[in-house]
Amino acid sequence: MLKIFDDKIKLSFAFCDELLNMSGEKNVFNIALSGGSTPRIIFQTLAEKFRGKIDWEKIHLFWGDERCVPPDDEESNFGMTKKYLLDYIDIPPKNIHPVNGNNIPEKEAERYSTELKKFLPVKNYLPVFDLIMLGIGEDGHTASIFPDQMKLLNSEKICEVSFHPLSKQKRITLTGKVIDNAERIIFLITGKSKSEIFNRILENRDEPVKKYPAAAITPVNGRIEYFADKEASGLLTGTL
Ligand code: 6PG
């Protein structure tokens, strides 16, 4: 459930080892990547240390959320993944399934939902990922489900349009039910700036009323784990 690592380097190696082992057991491995800054170290470790170990032919890359910006925009999660990972690995282009940040958001949410239904197996009448990588925002959001948009956790849709509460930037996000449907969910939490919210998330997770989207993520048939470094887990009060 909770794995604490000395630092983000050791955390990233542990995640990459998990990805290597999990994907080695399957002919096709479907992963939804998270965005923001935390995954950069994961992508760098994959590019530098796991490039030749992982069979990228098996791996299909999707995104758990994306900002509605062009791929070359510095805000683009796809652009960040390309910069730190895709430019260094031999993955077939057909295995890369980006959200189209240039599309009209409402149309893209529909289009991406259709793409997920086309490529992914189905469980509980929903697309099922082998692994979903998630981060936690300092406000407790995850993917692009923000605390003032909790209804997206229970949306009947596969993808929805959301917006950042401060910048109002539009986003495409997986909905809570699709995230919960994954075989495996791994939250990645690093840095002292996340210690407060991480502690609150773990406490709120066991309460009936969820205040934070990240606290509401609960696998229906899979496993959930929190990979945290010592800085991010510094305030934990033994809640796990
Ligand atoms: C995004 C992410 C988002 C992220 C958190 C944490 O598009 O921003 O998917 O959910 O995981 O905001 O971001 P950091 O890793 O930058 O703290």
Side-chain angles (χ1 to χ4, degrees):
M1 181 73 85
L2 169 63
K3 294 183 180 174
I4 297 175
F5 301 88
D6 286 345
D7 55 44
K8 64 183 180 180
I9 303 289
K10 289 187 176 131
L11 183 151
S12 64
F13 269 86
F15 180 87
C16 294
D17 274 328
E18 290 289 338
L19 179 58
L20 174 61
N21 296 333
M22 284 187 279
S23 59
E25 293 165 7
K26 302 205 71 170
N27 295 323
V28 176
F29 192 83
N30 299 307
I31 178 172
L33 303 174
S34 64
S37 58
T38 301
R40 284 181 204 164
I41 186 71
I42 304 289
F43 297 156
Q44 286 173 311
T45 306
L46 283 172
E48 292 165 14
K49 306 294 185 186
F50 287 78
R51 176 171 41 196
K53 294 180 181 176
I54 289 176
D55 180 356
W56 298 103
E57 287 280 339
K58 294 181 172 184
I59 309 262
H60 280 259
L61 300 177
F62 301 83
W63 276 261
D65 68 315
E66 181 59 277
R67 292 84 180 274
C68 296
V69 295
D72 58 356
D73 187 298
E74 63 175 14
E75 280 279 298
S76 169
N77 287 336
F78 169 79
M80 185 271 286
T81 310
K82 183 179 185 300
K83 180 177 177 182
Y84 291 99
L85 176 60
L86 302 183
D87 286 347
Y88 301 96
I89 59 174
D90 294 327
I91 186 167
K94 67 176 175 54
N95 290 24
I96 303 172
H97 307 267
V99 176
N100 177 358
N102 280 319
N103 200 356
I104 295 167
E106 289 69 20
K107 286 189 176 179
E108 184 56 18
E110 287 296 320
R111 186 201 69 80
Y112 205 58
S113 298
T114 302
E115 183 158 351
L116 296 181
K117 282 189 282 190
K118 178 180 168 189
F119 277 97
L120 297 178
V122 174
K123 210 173 205 177
N124 310 315
Y125 309 101
L126 287 168
V128 54
F129 284 97
D130 293 298
L131 173 62
I132 295 187
M133 210 177 148
L134 292 173
I136 297 178
E138 291 186 31
D139 61 356
H141 80 260
T142 193
S144 279
I145 303 176
F146 295 93
D148 62 348
Q149 297 155 65
M150 296 288 276
K151 67 182 185 319
L152 299 182
L153 290 163
N154 299 305
S155 167
E156 293 301 319
K157 294 182 178 177
I158 293 168
C159 296
E160 289 264 22
V161 178
S162 68
F163 58 88
H164 191 284
L166 302 177
S167 67
K168 306 306 178 195
Q169 181 189 63
K170 284 200 172 182
R171 309 276 186 96
I172 307 296
T173 186
L174 293 181
T175 55
K177 286 184 178 177
V178 174
I179 295 172
D180 288 348
N181 203 42
E183 295 297 345
R184 200 154 173 202
I185 299 165
I186 300 182
F187 275 96
L188 305 167
I189 313 106
T190 62
K192 193 168 177 54
S193 69
K194 296 291 175 72
S195 59
E196 177 70 32
I197 189 61
F198 185 36
N199 193 41
R200 289 187 187 170
I201 296 291
L202 294 184
E203 288 176 343
N204 184 227
R205 202 176 52 91
D206 299 329
E207 291 168 3
V209 178
K210 302 297 187 268
K211 292 190 291 185
Y212 309 104
I217 300 301
T218 309
V220 291
N221 39 247
R223 285 167 58 189
I224 187 167
E225 290 159 293
Y226 301 84
F227 280 24
D229 67 6
K230 275 187 174 163
E231 282 191 339
S233 49
L235 294 180
L236 291 195
T237 53
T239 47
L240 272 184

